[in-house]
Amino acid sequence: MGPLTLTVVRSQTMSTALKRLVLTGEGLQRIPEDNAGLHIKLFFKTKQQSQLVLPERDANGKIQWPAAELKPIARTYSIAGYDRTLNELAVDFVLHDAPGPAADFARQAQPGDTLGFAGPGPITLYHPKAQHFLLVGDLSATPALSAVANEIHNPDSLTIYLDLPHGVSEDDIRRHYFPAADTQLTCVFSGHPSGPDFLTPIQTRLQNLPPEQTSLTLAGEHNAVVALRTEARRLGFTKPQLYAVPYWRHTMNEETYHAERHAVMDN
Ligand SMILES: Cc1cc2nc3c(=O)[nH]c(=O)nc-3n(C[C@H](O)[C@H](O)[C@H](O)COP(=O)(O)OP(=O)(O)OC[C@H]3O[C@@H](n4cnc5c(N)ncnc54)[C@H](O)[C@@H]3O)c2cc1C
């Protein structure tokens, strides 16, 4: 399962600051049936490179990286959708204001552009046997949470909270990501890092859910994920019911934040 080269087929604006790239490439068929929001790694060439050089697996299955000057830029994204018939993968990119290689690639992407792909990883985003499902995130987590919401068929058991940047249209988010009329979705526009307008109602909601019967998915900016995970643990949520992964950190790029994310996840 070595890294793959994918090609941009087309793009779609999902909302202000959120753009979908539809990608294809030989080998994507390894994506499993249950793929909602699974983690994937994308590789981009550096500004100095004319050609993308991907890591490879050696005979023992170990990843071998190219020499430092040829190493691609790596970023983690989510499976927003996979169409097995067309072999097309949808990945939705936040077009954040601060420059970043992944967001910049997505902003400028044209059909025929190439990028690298590894994964998907094995971490699932929710506990399918739970009675209650609480999904919490921001714009970067919206594609993954939407994919999870699609798999939960009892709308009464599902509650979603999103903290969205100012300027993003709630109508666009509902239309593209949570179209079911009976979806219990609350959108807050509190700005980053998330403030009490966003966190307090969720903390209250958590206090009214039985931890052992609840699947809690926390994704998005570091501060919100860590604050809500602390509260969830205090209330008795344990690992099997709790997905808590910070997707990015305000003012830090992936290179500076990567190790800290893993420390949060391992803790
Ligand atoms: C498991 C996982 C799944 C993810 N899935 C998705 C996904 O499906 N879609 C998606 O858009 N992102 C997703 N992310 C987040 C994404 O990996 C980061 O946002 C990443 O930093 C983007 O890389 P970049 O090159 O654009 O910016 P970087 O070079 O990493 O950062 C440049 C600057 O932009 C800021 N920045 C980065 N991300 C954001 C943001 N979302 N909003 C505002 N400012 C930001 C940084 O703080 C920094 O100041 C996921 C992350 C993880 C760990």
Short mmCIF file of all heavy atoms in Angstrom, two decimals, residues 189-252:
data_model
loop_
_atom_site.label_atom_id
_atom_site.label_comp_id
_atom_site.label_asym_id
_atom_site.label_seq_id
_atom_site.Cartn_x
_atom_site.Cartn_y
_atom_site.Cartn_z
N PHE A 189 -20.74 31.30 15.00
CA PHE A 189 -19.67 32.03 14.29
C PHE A 189 -18.86 32.77 15.35
O PHE A 189 -19.00 33.96 15.54
CB PHE A 189 -20.29 32.98 13.26
CG PHE A 189 -21.07 32.25 12.20
CD1 PHE A 189 -22.38 31.84 12.43
CD2 PHE A 189 -20.48 31.92 10.99
CE1 PHE A 189 -23.09 31.14 11.47
CE2 PHE A 189 -21.18 31.22 10.02
CZ PHE A 189 -22.49 30.83 10.26
N SER A 190 -18.04 32.03 16.10
CA SER A 190 -17.39 32.64 17.27
C SER A 190 -15.97 33.09 16.96
O SER A 190 -15.37 33.78 17.77
CB SER A 190 -17.39 31.66 18.45
OG SER A 190 -16.37 30.71 18.32
N GLY A 191 -15.42 32.71 15.82
CA GLY A 191 -14.03 33.09 15.50
C GLY A 191 -13.06 32.17 16.19
O GLY A 191 -13.43 31.39 17.08
N HIS A 192 -11.79 32.24 15.76
CA HIS A 192 -10.78 31.33 16.33
C HIS A 192 -9.87 32.09 17.27
O HIS A 192 -9.49 33.21 16.97
CB HIS A 192 -9.96 30.69 15.22
CG HIS A 192 -10.74 29.66 14.47
ND1 HIS A 192 -11.28 28.56 15.08
CD2 HIS A 192 -11.09 29.59 13.18
CE1 HIS A 192 -11.92 27.84 14.17
NE2 HIS A 192 -11.83 28.45 13.01
N PRO A 193 -9.44 31.51 18.41
CA PRO A 193 -9.87 30.20 18.87
C PRO A 193 -11.32 30.25 19.38
O PRO A 193 -11.82 31.31 19.72
CB PRO A 193 -8.90 29.88 20.01
CG PRO A 193 -8.34 31.19 20.43
CD PRO A 193 -8.41 32.11 19.27
N SER A 194 -11.95 29.10 19.42
CA SER A 194 -13.37 29.04 19.76
C SER A 194 -13.62 29.65 21.14
O SER A 194 -12.88 29.39 22.08
CB SER A 194 -13.83 27.59 19.80
OG SER A 194 -13.68 27.02 18.54
N GLY A 195 -14.69 30.42 21.24
CA GLY A 195 -15.02 31.08 22.50
C GLY A 195 -16.17 30.39 23.20
O GLY A 195 -16.68 29.37 22.75
N PRO A 196 -16.61 30.99 24.32
CA PRO A 196 -17.67 30.39 25.13
C PRO A 196 -18.99 30.26 24.38
O PRO A 196 -19.79 29.36 24.68
CB PRO A 196 -17.81 31.33 26.33
CG PRO A 196 -16.97 32.52 26.03
CD PRO A 196 -16.03 32.18 24.94
N ASP A 197 -19.24 31.14 23.37
CA ASP A 197 -20.50 31.01 22.61
C ASP A 197 -20.60 29.63 21.99
O ASP A 197 -21.69 29.07 21.83
CB ASP A 197 -20.53 32.01 21.43
CG ASP A 197 -20.69 33.42 21.90
OD1 ASP A 197 -20.84 33.61 23.12
OD2 ASP A 197 -20.65 34.32 21.04
N PHE A 198 -19.45 29.10 21.61
CA PHE A 198 -19.44 27.77 21.00
C PHE A 198 -19.33 26.67 22.06
O PHE A 198 -20.08 25.70 22.05
CB PHE A 198 -18.26 27.68 20.03
CG PHE A 198 -18.17 26.38 19.29
CD1 PHE A 198 -19.20 25.95 18.45
CD2 PHE A 198 -17.05 25.56 19.42
CE1 PHE A 198 -19.12 24.74 17.76
CE2 PHE A 198 -16.96 24.35 18.73
CZ PHE A 198 -18.00 23.95 17.90
N LEU A 199 -18.38 26.85 22.99
CA LEU A 199 -18.03 25.75 23.91
C LEU A 199 -19.10 25.51 24.98
O LEU A 199 -19.40 24.35 25.31
CB LEU A 199 -16.69 26.03 24.57
CG LEU A 199 -15.49 26.16 23.61
CD1 LEU A 199 -14.21 26.48 24.37
CD2 LEU A 199 -15.30 24.87 22.81
N THR A 200 -19.68 26.58 25.53
CA THR A 200 -20.55 26.40 26.70
C THR A 200 -21.78 25.53 26.39
O THR A 200 -22.08 24.60 27.15
CB THR A 200 -20.95 27.77 27.28
OG1 THR A 200 -19.75 28.51 27.50
CG2 THR A 200 -21.72 27.64 28.58
N PRO A 201 -22.51 25.78 25.29
CA PRO A 201 -23.67 24.91 25.03
C PRO A 201 -23.29 23.44 24.84
O PRO A 201 -24.05 22.54 25.22
CB PRO A 201 -24.26 25.47 23.73
CG PRO A 201 -23.68 26.82 23.57
CD PRO A 201 -22.38 26.85 24.29
N ILE A 202 -22.09 23.20 24.30
CA ILE A 202 -21.68 21.80 24.10
C ILE A 202 -21.34 21.17 25.45
O ILE A 202 -21.71 20.02 25.73
CB ILE A 202 -20.47 21.72 23.14
CG1 ILE A 202 -20.84 22.34 21.80
CG2 ILE A 202 -20.01 20.28 22.97
CD1 ILE A 202 -19.66 22.62 20.90
N GLN A 203 -20.67 21.94 26.30
CA GLN A 203 -20.35 21.41 27.64
C GLN A 203 -21.64 21.07 28.39
O GLN A 203 -21.74 20.03 29.05
CB GLN A 203 -19.48 22.42 28.41
CG GLN A 203 -18.05 22.41 27.87
CD GLN A 203 -17.24 23.66 28.20
OE1 GLN A 203 -17.80 24.70 28.51
NE2 GLN A 203 -15.93 23.55 28.12
N THR A 204 -22.65 21.92 28.24
CA THR A 204 -23.93 21.66 28.90
C THR A 204 -24.58 20.40 28.32
O THR A 204 -25.08 19.54 29.04
CB THR A 204 -24.87 22.87 28.71
OG1 THR A 204 -24.19 24.03 29.16
CG2 THR A 204 -26.18 22.70 29.45
N ARG A 205 -24.53 20.29 27.01
CA ARG A 205 -25.13 19.12 26.33
C ARG A 205 -24.44 17.83 26.80
O ARG A 205 -25.09 16.82 27.05
CB ARG A 205 -24.97 19.31 24.82
CG ARG A 205 -25.44 18.15 23.99
CD ARG A 205 -26.92 18.26 23.68
NE ARG A 205 -27.33 17.16 22.83
CZ ARG A 205 -28.34 16.35 23.09
NH1 ARG A 205 -29.09 16.52 24.14
NH2 ARG A 205 -28.64 15.38 22.27
N LEU A 206 -23.11 17.90 26.92
CA LEU A 206 -22.36 16.71 27.35
C LEU A 206 -22.82 16.23 28.71
O LEU A 206 -22.90 15.03 28.98
CB LEU A 206 -20.86 17.03 27.42
CG LEU A 206 -20.08 17.03 26.10
CD1 LEU A 206 -18.65 17.49 26.34
CD2 LEU A 206 -20.09 15.63 25.49
N GLN A 207 -23.13 17.18 29.58
CA GLN A 207 -23.54 16.82 30.95
C GLN A 207 -24.87 16.06 30.95
O GLN A 207 -25.21 15.40 31.92
CB GLN A 207 -23.65 18.07 31.81
CG GLN A 207 -22.28 18.65 32.16
CD GLN A 207 -22.34 20.09 32.62
OE1 GLN A 207 -23.42 20.62 32.89
NE2 GLN A 207 -21.19 20.73 32.68
N ASN A 208 -25.63 16.20 29.85
CA ASN A 208 -26.95 15.56 29.80
C ASN A 208 -26.96 14.28 28.96
O ASN A 208 -28.03 13.78 28.63
CB ASN A 208 -27.97 16.55 29.23
CG ASN A 208 -28.18 17.70 30.19
OD1 ASN A 208 -28.40 17.49 31.38
ND2 ASN A 208 -28.04 18.92 29.70
N LEU A 209 -25.80 13.80 28.58
CA LEU A 209 -25.73 12.56 27.79
C LEU A 209 -25.06 11.46 28.61
O LEU A 209 -24.08 11.73 29.31
CB LEU A 209 -24.93 12.80 26.51
CG LEU A 209 -25.61 13.63 25.42
CD1 LEU A 209 -24.60 14.03 24.35
CD2 LEU A 209 -26.78 12.87 24.80
N PRO A 210 -25.56 10.22 28.53
CA PRO A 210 -24.90 9.13 29.26
C PRO A 210 -23.62 8.72 28.53
O PRO A 210 -23.69 8.22 27.40
CB PRO A 210 -25.95 8.00 29.19
CG PRO A 210 -26.82 8.35 28.02
CD PRO A 210 -26.75 9.81 27.78
N PRO A 211 -22.43 8.93 29.12
CA PRO A 211 -21.18 8.67 28.41
C PRO A 211 -21.10 7.27 27.81
O PRO A 211 -20.65 7.09 26.68
CB PRO A 211 -20.10 8.86 29.48
CG PRO A 211 -20.71 9.73 30.50
CD PRO A 211 -22.19 9.44 30.48
N GLU A 212 -21.58 6.27 28.56
CA GLU A 212 -21.40 4.88 28.09
C GLU A 212 -22.26 4.58 26.86
O GLU A 212 -22.01 3.60 26.16
CB GLU A 212 -21.64 3.88 29.22
CG GLU A 212 -23.03 3.82 29.82
CD GLU A 212 -23.40 5.04 30.67
OE1 GLU A 212 -22.53 5.87 31.02
OE2 GLU A 212 -24.59 5.16 30.99
N GLN A 213 -23.26 5.42 26.57
CA GLN A 213 -24.11 5.19 25.39
C GLN A 213 -23.92 6.25 24.31
O GLN A 213 -24.72 6.36 23.39
CB GLN A 213 -25.59 5.19 25.81
CG GLN A 213 -25.97 4.02 26.67
CD GLN A 213 -27.32 4.24 27.33
OE1 GLN A 213 -28.15 5.00 26.84
NE2 GLN A 213 -27.54 3.58 28.45
N THR A 214 -22.88 7.06 24.46
CA THR A 214 -22.71 8.20 23.56
C THR A 214 -21.41 8.09 22.78
O THR A 214 -20.37 7.74 23.35
CB THR A 214 -22.72 9.52 24.36
OG1 THR A 214 -23.95 9.60 25.08
CG2 THR A 214 -22.58 10.73 23.45
N SER A 215 -21.47 8.38 21.48
CA SER A 215 -20.26 8.49 20.66
C SER A 215 -19.98 9.97 20.46
O SER A 215 -20.82 10.70 19.93
CB SER A 215 -20.51 7.80 19.32
OG SER A 215 -19.48 8.11 18.42
N LEU A 216 -18.81 10.41 20.90
CA LEU A 216 -18.46 11.83 20.84
C LEU A 216 -17.30 12.02 19.87
O LEU A 216 -16.24 11.43 20.04
CB LEU A 216 -18.08 12.32 22.24
CG LEU A 216 -17.55 13.74 22.36
CD1 LEU A 216 -18.56 14.76 21.85
CD2 LEU A 216 -17.19 14.05 23.82
N THR A 217 -17.51 12.85 18.85
CA THR A 217 -16.47 13.12 17.84
C THR A 217 -16.09 14.59 17.95
O THR A 217 -16.93 15.47 17.74
CB THR A 217 -17.01 12.82 16.42
OG1 THR A 217 -17.45 11.46 16.38
CG2 THR A 217 -15.93 13.03 15.37
N LEU A 218 -14.83 14.84 18.29
CA LEU A 218 -14.32 16.21 18.43
C LEU A 218 -13.20 16.41 17.43
O LEU A 218 -12.18 15.70 17.48
CB LEU A 218 -13.76 16.44 19.84
CG LEU A 218 -14.70 16.17 21.02
CD1 LEU A 218 -13.93 16.30 22.34
CD2 LEU A 218 -15.86 17.16 21.00
N ALA A 219 -13.35 17.38 16.52
CA ALA A 219 -12.31 17.63 15.51
C ALA A 219 -12.29 19.12 15.22
O ALA A 219 -13.29 19.81 15.39
CB ALA A 219 -12.63 16.84 14.24
N GLY A 220 -11.13 19.61 14.80
CA GLY A 220 -11.05 21.03 14.44
C GLY A 220 -9.85 21.68 15.10
O GLY A 220 -8.81 21.04 15.30
N GLU A 221 -10.00 22.95 15.46
CA GLU A 221 -8.86 23.71 16.00
C GLU A 221 -8.47 23.17 17.38
O GLU A 221 -9.33 22.79 18.18
CB GLU A 221 -9.22 25.20 16.05
CG GLU A 221 -8.02 26.12 16.00
CD GLU A 221 -7.36 26.36 17.35
OE1 GLU A 221 -8.05 26.26 18.38
OE2 GLU A 221 -6.14 26.62 17.37
N HIS A 222 -7.18 23.16 17.63
CA HIS A 222 -6.59 22.57 18.84
C HIS A 222 -7.31 22.98 20.14
O HIS A 222 -7.67 22.12 20.95
CB HIS A 222 -5.11 23.01 18.89
CG HIS A 222 -4.41 22.71 20.16
ND1 HIS A 222 -3.59 21.61 20.31
CD2 HIS A 222 -4.38 23.37 21.34
CE1 HIS A 222 -3.10 21.61 21.54
NE2 HIS A 222 -3.55 22.66 22.19
N ASN A 223 -7.50 24.28 20.33
CA ASN A 223 -8.00 24.74 21.64
C ASN A 223 -9.39 24.20 21.94
O ASN A 223 -9.68 23.80 23.08
CB ASN A 223 -8.00 26.28 21.68
CG ASN A 223 -6.58 26.81 21.73
OD1 ASN A 223 -5.89 26.68 22.72
ND2 ASN A 223 -6.13 27.36 20.62
N ALA A 224 -10.26 24.18 20.94
CA ALA A 224 -11.62 23.69 21.16
C ALA A 224 -11.60 22.19 21.45
O ALA A 224 -12.29 21.70 22.36
CB ALA A 224 -12.49 23.98 19.94
N VAL A 225 -10.82 21.44 20.68
CA VAL A 225 -10.78 19.98 20.86
C VAL A 225 -10.26 19.65 22.26
O VAL A 225 -10.84 18.82 22.97
CB VAL A 225 -9.90 19.32 19.77
CG1 VAL A 225 -9.68 17.84 20.08
CG2 VAL A 225 -10.55 19.49 18.40
N VAL A 226 -9.19 20.32 22.67
CA VAL A 226 -8.59 20.00 23.98
C VAL A 226 -9.55 20.39 25.11
O VAL A 226 -9.76 19.63 26.06
CB VAL A 226 -7.21 20.67 24.11
CG1 VAL A 226 -6.68 20.56 25.53
CG2 VAL A 226 -6.23 20.04 23.12
N ALA A 227 -10.19 21.57 24.99
CA ALA A 227 -11.11 22.02 26.05
C ALA A 227 -12.28 21.04 26.20
O ALA A 227 -12.66 20.66 27.32
CB ALA A 227 -11.62 23.42 25.74
N LEU A 228 -12.84 20.62 25.07
CA LEU A 228 -14.02 19.74 25.15
C LEU A 228 -13.62 18.32 25.55
O LEU A 228 -14.37 17.63 26.25
CB LEU A 228 -14.76 19.74 23.80
CG LEU A 228 -15.44 21.09 23.48
CD1 LEU A 228 -15.97 21.10 22.05
CD2 LEU A 228 -16.57 21.39 24.47
N ARG A 229 -12.45 17.89 25.13
CA ARG A 229 -12.00 16.56 25.56
C ARG A 229 -11.80 16.53 27.08
O ARG A 229 -12.15 15.54 27.75
CB ARG A 229 -10.71 16.17 24.85
CG ARG A 229 -10.31 14.74 25.18
CD ARG A 229 -9.01 14.34 24.54
NE ARG A 229 -7.87 15.01 25.13
CZ ARG A 229 -6.61 14.67 24.92
NH1 ARG A 229 -6.33 13.67 24.10
NH2 ARG A 229 -5.62 15.33 25.48
N THR A 230 -11.25 17.59 27.63
CA THR A 230 -11.04 17.66 29.09
C THR A 230 -12.38 17.51 29.81
O THR A 230 -12.51 16.75 30.77
CB THR A 230 -10.37 19.01 29.45
OG1 THR A 230 -9.15 19.09 28.73
CG2 THR A 230 -10.11 19.13 30.94
N GLU A 231 -13.38 18.23 29.31
CA GLU A 231 -14.71 18.16 29.94
C GLU A 231 -15.31 16.76 29.77
O GLU A 231 -15.88 16.19 30.71
CB GLU A 231 -15.62 19.23 29.31
CG GLU A 231 -17.05 19.22 29.79
CD GLU A 231 -17.20 19.57 31.28
OE1 GLU A 231 -16.19 19.83 31.95
OE2 GLU A 231 -18.35 19.53 31.76
N ALA A 232 -15.15 16.19 28.57
CA ALA A 232 -15.71 14.86 28.33
C ALA A 232 -15.08 13.82 29.26
O ALA A 232 -15.78 12.98 29.83
CB ALA A 232 -15.49 14.47 26.86
N ARG A 233 -13.79 13.91 29.43
CA ARG A 233 -13.12 12.94 30.32
C ARG A 233 -13.59 13.12 31.75
O ARG A 233 -13.79 12.15 32.47
CB ARG A 233 -11.62 13.12 30.23
CG ARG A 233 -11.06 12.51 28.96
CD ARG A 233 -9.57 12.64 28.99
NE ARG A 233 -8.95 11.93 27.90
CZ ARG A 233 -7.68 12.11 27.55
NH1 ARG A 233 -6.94 12.96 28.22
NH2 ARG A 233 -7.17 11.43 26.55
N ARG A 234 -13.75 14.38 32.15
CA ARG A 234 -14.22 14.65 33.52
C ARG A 234 -15.58 13.98 33.74
O ARG A 234 -15.89 13.50 34.82
CB ARG A 234 -14.32 16.17 33.72
CG ARG A 234 -14.51 16.61 35.16
CD ARG A 234 -14.73 18.11 35.26
NE ARG A 234 -16.00 18.56 34.71
CZ ARG A 234 -17.18 18.43 35.30
NH1 ARG A 234 -17.26 17.86 36.48
NH2 ARG A 234 -18.28 18.86 34.71
N LEU A 235 -16.38 13.92 32.68
CA LEU A 235 -17.72 13.35 32.79
C LEU A 235 -17.73 11.84 32.62
O LEU A 235 -18.79 11.22 32.68
CB LEU A 235 -18.63 14.00 31.73
CG LEU A 235 -18.92 15.48 31.95
CD1 LEU A 235 -19.56 16.09 30.71
CD2 LEU A 235 -19.83 15.68 33.16
N GLY A 236 -16.57 11.25 32.32
CA GLY A 236 -16.51 9.79 32.26
C GLY A 236 -16.44 9.20 30.86
O GLY A 236 -16.55 7.98 30.69
N PHE A 237 -16.28 10.03 29.83
CA PHE A 237 -16.10 9.48 28.48
C PHE A 237 -14.73 8.82 28.40
O PHE A 237 -13.74 9.38 28.85
CB PHE A 237 -16.18 10.59 27.42
CG PHE A 237 -17.57 11.05 27.12
CD1 PHE A 237 -18.22 11.96 27.95
CD2 PHE A 237 -18.25 10.56 26.02
CE1 PHE A 237 -19.51 12.39 27.68
CE2 PHE A 237 -19.55 10.98 25.74
CZ PHE A 237 -20.17 11.89 26.56
N THR A 238 -14.68 7.63 27.83
CA THR A 238 -13.40 6.92 27.70
C THR A 238 -13.11 6.67 26.22
O THR A 238 -13.96 6.92 25.36
CB THR A 238 -13.42 5.59 28.47
OG1 THR A 238 -14.55 4.86 28.02
CG2 THR A 238 -13.50 5.81 29.97
N LYS A 239 -11.92 6.13 25.94
CA LYS A 239 -11.43 6.05 24.56
C LYS A 239 -12.41 5.49 23.53
O LYS A 239 -12.59 6.09 22.48
CB LYS A 239 -10.12 5.26 24.51
CG LYS A 239 -8.92 6.12 24.83
CD LYS A 239 -7.79 5.93 23.83
CE LYS A 239 -6.89 7.15 23.85
NZ LYS A 239 -5.50 6.88 23.84
N PRO A 240 -13.06 4.34 23.79
CA PRO A 240 -13.89 3.78 22.70
C PRO A 240 -14.99 4.72 22.22
O PRO A 240 -15.41 4.66 21.07
CB PRO A 240 -14.49 2.52 23.34
CG PRO A 240 -13.69 2.24 24.55
CD PRO A 240 -13.06 3.53 24.99
N GLN A 241 -15.47 5.60 23.12
CA GLN A 241 -16.59 6.49 22.72
C GLN A 241 -16.09 7.84 22.27
O GLN A 241 -16.89 8.71 21.94
CB GLN A 241 -17.53 6.75 23.89
CG GLN A 241 -18.06 5.55 24.56
CD GLN A 241 -17.68 5.63 26.03
OE1 GLN A 241 -16.52 5.53 26.41
NE2 GLN A 241 -18.68 5.85 26.85
N LEU A 242 -14.78 8.06 22.31
CA LEU A 242 -14.28 9.43 22.17
C LEU A 242 -13.23 9.52 21.07
O LEU A 242 -12.14 8.96 21.19
CB LEU A 242 -13.69 9.85 23.52
CG LEU A 242 -13.10 11.25 23.64
CD1 LEU A 242 -14.09 12.31 23.23
CD2 LEU A 242 -12.63 11.50 25.07
N TYR A 243 -13.56 10.23 19.99
CA TYR A 243 -12.58 10.59 18.95
C TYR A 243 -12.28 12.06 19.20
O TYR A 243 -13.19 12.90 19.13
CB TYR A 243 -13.18 10.37 17.57
CG TYR A 243 -12.39 10.96 16.41
CD1 TYR A 243 -11.53 10.17 15.65
CD2 TYR A 243 -12.53 12.31 16.05
CE1 TYR A 243 -10.82 10.71 14.57
CE2 TYR A 243 -11.83 12.85 14.98
CZ TYR A 243 -10.99 12.05 14.24
OH TYR A 243 -10.30 12.58 13.17
N ALA A 244 -11.05 12.39 19.53
CA ALA A 244 -10.69 13.79 19.78
C ALA A 244 -9.37 14.07 19.07
O ALA A 244 -8.30 13.72 19.58
CB ALA A 244 -10.56 14.04 21.28
N VAL A 245 -9.45 14.66 17.88
CA VAL A 245 -8.24 14.91 17.09
C VAL A 245 -8.19 16.38 16.67
O VAL A 245 -9.06 16.85 15.93
CB VAL A 245 -8.20 13.99 15.84
CG1 VAL A 245 -6.96 14.29 15.01
CG2 VAL A 245 -8.21 12.53 16.24
N PRO A 246 -7.18 17.10 17.17
CA PRO A 246 -7.03 18.49 16.70
C PRO A 246 -6.50 18.49 15.26
O PRO A 246 -5.49 17.86 14.97
CB PRO A 246 -6.00 19.09 17.65
CG PRO A 246 -5.54 18.00 18.56
CD PRO A 246 -6.15 16.72 18.14
N TYR A 247 -7.21 19.18 14.38
CA TYR A 247 -6.85 19.15 12.95
C TYR A 247 -5.82 20.22 12.60
O TYR A 247 -5.09 20.08 11.63
CB TYR A 247 -8.11 19.33 12.10
CG TYR A 247 -8.93 18.05 11.94
CD1 TYR A 247 -8.65 16.92 12.70
CD2 TYR A 247 -9.97 17.99 11.03
CE1 TYR A 247 -9.40 15.76 12.55
CE2 TYR A 247 -10.71 16.82 10.87
CZ TYR A 247 -10.43 15.71 11.64
OH TYR A 247 -11.16 14.57 11.48
N TRP A 248 -5.77 21.30 13.36
CA TRP A 248 -4.81 22.37 13.08
C TRP A 248 -4.73 23.24 14.32
O TRP A 248 -5.54 23.09 15.24
CB TRP A 248 -5.24 23.19 11.86
CG TRP A 248 -6.53 23.94 12.03
CD1 TRP A 248 -7.80 23.41 12.02
CD2 TRP A 248 -6.70 25.35 12.26
NE1 TRP A 248 -8.73 24.40 12.22
CE2 TRP A 248 -8.09 25.60 12.37
CE3 TRP A 248 -5.81 26.41 12.38
CZ2 TRP A 248 -8.60 26.88 12.60
CZ3 TRP A 248 -6.32 27.69 12.60
CH2 TRP A 248 -7.71 27.91 12.70
N ARG A 249 -3.75 24.13 14.36
CA ARG A 249 -3.65 25.04 15.50
C ARG A 249 -3.43 26.46 15.01
O ARG A 249 -2.56 26.70 14.16
CB ARG A 249 -2.51 24.61 16.43
CG ARG A 249 -2.47 25.50 17.65
CD ARG A 249 -1.75 24.92 18.82
NE ARG A 249 -2.10 25.74 19.99
CZ ARG A 249 -1.70 25.52 21.21
NH1 ARG A 249 -0.94 24.48 21.46
NH2 ARG A 249 -2.06 26.32 22.19
N HIS A 250 -4.24 27.35 15.59
CA HIS A 250 -4.19 28.77 15.24
C HIS A 250 -2.75 29.27 15.29
O HIS A 250 -2.05 29.02 16.28
CB HIS A 250 -5.05 29.52 16.27
CG HIS A 250 -5.38 30.90 15.88
ND1 HIS A 250 -5.93 31.24 14.67
CD2 HIS A 250 -5.25 32.06 16.55
CE1 HIS A 250 -6.12 32.53 14.61
NE2 HIS A 250 -5.71 33.06 15.74
N THR A 251 -2.31 29.96 14.25
CA THR A 251 -0.97 30.57 14.08
C THR A 251 0.18 29.57 13.89
O THR A 251 1.33 29.98 13.75
CB THR A 251 -0.57 31.55 15.23
OG1 THR A 251 -0.28 30.79 16.39
CG2 THR A 251 -1.63 32.59 15.51
N MET A 252 -0.08 28.26 13.91
CA MET A 252 1.01 27.30 13.68
C MET A 252 0.77 26.56 12.37
O MET A 252 -0.36 26.13 12.10
CB MET A 252 1.08 26.29 14.83
CG MET A 252 1.54 26.91 16.14
SD MET A 252 1.38 25.77 17.52
CE MET A 252 2.90 24.87 17.39
#
